[in-house]
Amino acid sequence: MLKRPEEETIEKNGRQIFLHHLIEFTLTYDILGVLAPNQKAVQRVQRAYSIYYFGIDDEIFNYGMRNAIYQALTDGNIKSFSSTIKKIFKGKIKSTESQEMNNIIQTLFQYRKFFISQPPFFGHFDDLDNYYRHLFLMVKSVANEDEKYLPPDEKTNLLKILRAQLSTREQIMLFYNWFSGFGYEWEEESKDGNHFFTKHRMIHNIMPHLMVPFSTNDKDYDKALSKFVRFYAKCEFIKLFGSNDDPIFEFEKNDIHHKFKYNK
């Protein structure tokens, strides 16, 4: 039986807003999972981020579904709300009674008050475009400054101060911005390219158990870390810029079983 979750509100201002962004992005990823279950996880992340960033422009998850979901959010009764959402998805998915579908309904209802004031799946380009551009230019300006004027240890300290202003969820959303291809310049493939994630640790505090496609339904911490480490085990820049004494990610300091193998 579907239980009524505790309603939760989220502040609309400050760093807490990125909790909403992460919830909406993950919800989009989950919805695409029931609509296109055979799609590879990496492609689903990229597709979900495009919807999250620009709004609905998708043949499977379309305008009609988005608008119907938004209209349903005004229903404060969990049973009738659940029935309405299932009708929206009926005929488009294999089963509306699956655990995945139930999780989607629970999340929509739990955060419905916030979603009413901040409609989901309408895009966040207008809010985030300048934010990411300015953040990137701040990091780039420090990282690329001539070392005669700004030695490496001072660069590290300045970027640590900047990173400290970013919440864990903010760093996770920054990872998705890069992972989706929109912000590819944060961490580039060439040796001479930007390495703001590896060399300069701008996503040092991310937590894989909160991140698709690494997280599991039960948010198993160990499984998520294992998947994340396996996924990036061959990344030469992680091995190049990290070390056992100074690992790329914070979780490596606290977990001896889930660490990258460094060259030094």
Side-chain angles (χ1 to χ4, degrees), residues 93-110:
I93 62 177
K94 187 175 182 180
S95 172
T96 58
E97 303 300 328
S98 66
Q99 183 59 50
E100 290 78 10
M101 192 68 230
N102 188 53
N103 291 340
I104 289 168
I105 293 169
Q106 293 272 353
T107 301
L108 281 167
F109 193 84
Q110 182 176 356

Side-chain angles (χ1 to χ4, degrees), residues 70 85 160 163 198:
Y70 181 65
I85 297 300
K160 276 185 178 179
R163 190 185 69 223
T198 51

Side-chain angles (χ1 to χ4, degrees), residues 156 160 163 171 200-201 203-208 221 225 228-229 241-260 262:
T156 298
K160 276 185 178 179
R163 190 185 69 223
Q171 292 179 44
H200 297 292
R201 311 290 202 275
I203 56 169
H204 180 67
N205 308 110
I206 61 173
M207 302 173 69
Y221 184 81
L225 290 187
F228 184 84
V229 171
F241 294 121
S243 69
N244 290 325
D245 295 329
D246 183 23
I248 299 293
F249 301 104
E250 185 179 36
F251 67 76
E252 297 179 83
K253 298 178 182 178
N254 305 317
D255 194 324
I256 62 173
H257 302 294
H258 302 99
K259 298 181 69 171
F260 289 97
Y262 294 107

Side-chain angles (χ1 to χ4, degrees), residues 3 32 64 99 112 120 151 166-167 193 198 214 223 225 227 243:
K3 296 181 180 180
L32 290 176
Q99 183 59 50
R112 68 185 188 83
L166 308 180
S167 68
T198 51
F214 312 107
K223 288 181 181 178
L225 290 187
K227 288 176 70 175
S243 69

Side-chain angles (χ1 to χ4, degrees), residues 232-243 248 260-264:
Y232 285 106
K234 295 182 180 180
C235 177
E236 63 177 298
F237 300 115
I238 286 181
K239 297 178 181 179
L240 178 64
F241 294 121
S243 69
I248 299 293
F260 289 97
K261 294 181 180 179
Y262 294 107
N263 294 339
K264 49 186 176 180

Side-chain angles (χ1 to χ4, degrees), residues 26-262:
T26 306
L27 182 61
T28 306
Y29 177 87
D30 290 342
I31 289 173
L32 290 176
V34 298
L35 290 171
N38 295 324
Q39 188 173 51
K40 292 183 178 179
V42 172
Q43 294 174 331
R44 201 198 322 172
V45 170
Q46 294 168 340
R47 192 173 186 176
Y49 193 86
S50 179
I51 292 173
Y52 155 79
Y53 200 69
F54 292 111
I56 291 291
D57 184 17
D58 195 274
E59 293 180 359
I60 297 177
F61 187 16
N62 55 45
Y63 290 105
M65 294 181 70
R66 179 196 68 183
N67 295 340
I69 289 171
Y70 181 65
Q71 291 297 320
L73 291 171
T74 58
D75 189 343
N77 182 281
I78 182 62
K79 290 185 178 180
S80 58
F81 176 81
S82 175
S83 177
T84 300
I85 297 300
K86 288 178 180 180
K87 286 178 182 177
I88 294 171
F89 282 83
K90 188 175 181 180
K92 298 179 176 65
I93 62 177
K94 187 175 182 180
S95 172
T96 58
E97 303 300 328
S98 66
Q99 183 59 50
E100 290 78 10
M101 192 68 230
N102 188 53
N103 291 340
I104 289 168
I105 293 169
Q106 293 272 353
T107 301
L108 281 167
F109 193 84
Q110 182 176 356
Y111 296 101
R112 68 185 188 83
K113 288 185 178 180
F114 191 87
F115 284 144
I116 288 172
S117 62
Q118 299 285 314
F121 321 124
F122 280 74
H124 296 281
F125 176 82
D126 291 339
D127 298 326
L128 295 177
D129 184 47
N130 282 337
Y131 164 80
Y132 280 126
R133 185 182 295 115
H134 291 160
L135 181 60
F136 180 83
L137 288 175
M138 283 190 285
V139 175
K140 185 177 181 180
S141 296
V142 173
N144 293 346
E145 181 58 73
D146 193 314
E147 293 185 359
K148 290 187 298 183
Y149 306 109
L150 191 64
D153 59 339
E154 291 188 28
K155 290 183 180 183
T156 298
N157 288 335
L158 285 173
L159 291 175
K160 276 185 178 179
I161 293 171
L162 177 58
R163 190 185 69 223
Q165 309 309 306
L166 308 180
S167 68
T168 297
R169 290 174 176 83
E170 220 166 332
Q171 292 179 44
I172 290 174
M173 293 310 300
L174 178 57
F175 169 85
Y176 287 137
N177 181 263
W178 166 80
F179 190 82
S180 66
F182 288 95
Y184 69 92
E185 289 182 292
W186 282 101
E187 183 70 29
E188 297 180 309
E189 294 183 1
S190 67
K191 189 173 183 180
D192 296 328
N194 298 326
H195 299 290
F196 300 154
F197 288 174
T198 51
K199 184 177 182 179
H200 297 292
R201 311 290 202 275
M202 288 308 298
I203 56 169
H204 180 67
N205 308 110
I206 61 173
M207 302 173 69
H209 72 288
L210 299 177
M211 302 163 58
V212 296
F214 312 107
S215 63
T216 56
N217 288 335
D218 55 0
K219 304 296 182 187
D220 187 294
Y221 184 81
D222 288 334
K223 288 181 181 178
L225 290 187
S226 294
K227 288 176 70 175
F228 184 84
V229 171
R230 286 199 306 272
F231 193 88
Y232 285 106
K234 295 182 180 180
C235 177
E236 63 177 298
F237 300 115
I238 286 181
K239 297 178 181 179
L240 178 64
F241 294 121
S243 69
N244 290 325
D245 295 329
D246 183 23
I248 299 293
F249 301 104
E250 185 179 36
F251 67 76
E252 297 179 83
K253 298 178 182 178
N254 305 317
D255 194 324
I256 62 173
H257 302 294
H258 302 99
K259 298 181 69 171
F260 289 97
K261 294 181 180 179
Y262 294 107

